[in-house]
Amino acid sequence: MTTRAVTLVARTSAVEETKTLAGALAVLAEPGDLIVLAGDLGAGKTAFVQGFGRGLGVTEPITSPTFTLAQQYEGRLLVHHLDVYRLDQLGEVAELGLGELLDDGGVVLIEWGDAILPILPNDYLEVRLMYPPVGDDEGGSSGDDDRRIVLHAVGPAWGRRQVSLLHAIAPWAEAPKGSPAGQPGDRPVEGGGAPC
Ligand code: ADP
Ligand code: MG
């Protein structure tokens, strides 16, 4: 079994923060990368892609591809942005020609991609955007714009970049529960965390 899974957790408290985090991850992007975006409607999947595209130098506005299924943008790497929300048959997904998209040297980001994992290569970064659970903030600072972002690196492509991933999300890294350094309700560490 060669598959390794690494999980990292971040928090943002504004859409721009999520975009900036995504842009920091885009710096690590390599040809053929697959990013699976998961999370409820309105959680910020499209916002993440917008920030990721910005990080890759895409200047064209990135919009939700819900009705077009797939859109391409030119940046440092070609960005293939897919949304499989409407697809209820895996056969329809097959028609998207995912294999070719992954092979053409660009980066593929799939909103609701967790619904089609059986037909995806077992080598991807899952980005799961979540609303923090009610009562999670202890100090009462949680708001509508807070998101918990769980990164799950599955397989070798992202697994070997886990240290870079850790550094990229450090400004938004979630403080471990019961961290001695923090007061209850403290925001996650800003500004890079511990030196390395
Ligand atoms: P999805 O693609 O998951 O359905 P969108 O990215 O289209 O979600 O929408 C996310 C919405 O949530 C936007 O209106 C955005 O402004 C808002 N928002 C508020 N706070 C955040 C945050 N921290 N991260 C991402 N989006 C946020
Ligand atoms: Mg969307």
Side-chain angles (χ1 to χ4, degrees):
M1 196 68 178
T2 55
T3 302
R4 293 177 292 161
V6 178
T7 302
L8 305 171
V9 183
R11 283 209 184 215
T12 63
S13 51
V15 63
E16 190 53 36
E17 264 188 77
T18 296
K19 290 182 184 178
T20 306
L21 178 153
L25 293 176
V27 173
L28 308 177
E30 295 176 4
D33 276 344
L34 171 62
I35 297 186
V36 167
L37 291 154
D40 290 342
L41 212 57
K45 299 180 294 299
T46 300
F48 181 96
V49 180
Q50 288 166 341
F52 197 92
R54 188 170 72 189
L56 283 173
V58 172
T59 51
E60 203 183 329
I62 294 179
T63 54
S64 177
T66 302
F67 299 105
T68 49
L69 299 181
Q71 275 172 359
Q72 278 73 47
Y73 301 92
E74 278 185 41
R76 172 173 72 81
L77 299 167
L78 200 58
V79 177
H80 298 288
H81 181 198
L82 281 68
D83 186 326
V84 297
Y85 181 65
R86 282 196 314 119
L87 303 186
D88 45 21
Q89 310 250 334
L90 287 184
E92 284 182 87
V93 181
E95 287 168 25
L96 293 172
L98 258 178
E100 285 160 37
L101 294 185
L102 283 164
D103 278 348
D104 86 344
V107 182
V108 178
L109 298 104
I110 311 179
E111 296 194 35
W112 303 100
D114 52 327
I116 60 163
L117 286 184
I119 63 153
L120 294 178
N122 204 24
D123 200 2
Y124 57 88
L125 180 69
E126 182 187 87
V127 178
R128 184 170 292 274
L129 295 117
M130 296 182 288
Y131 302 97
V134 175
D136 191 42
D137 58 331
E138 294 173 37
S141 59
S142 242
D144 290 347
D145 291 351
D146 287 345
R147 298 289 188 276
R148 193 160 188 250
I149 303 176
V150 180
L151 304 173
H152 194 53
V154 175
W158 286 97
R160 72 180 149 71
R161 277 174 272 173
Q162 58 180 287
V163 174
S164 308
L165 277 174
L166 196 63
H167 286 171
I169 68 149
W172 304 275
E174 184 172 86
K177 284 264 179 219
S179 161
Q183 297 298 316
D186 263 0
R187 300 299 308 151
V189 180
E190 297 275 355
C196 44

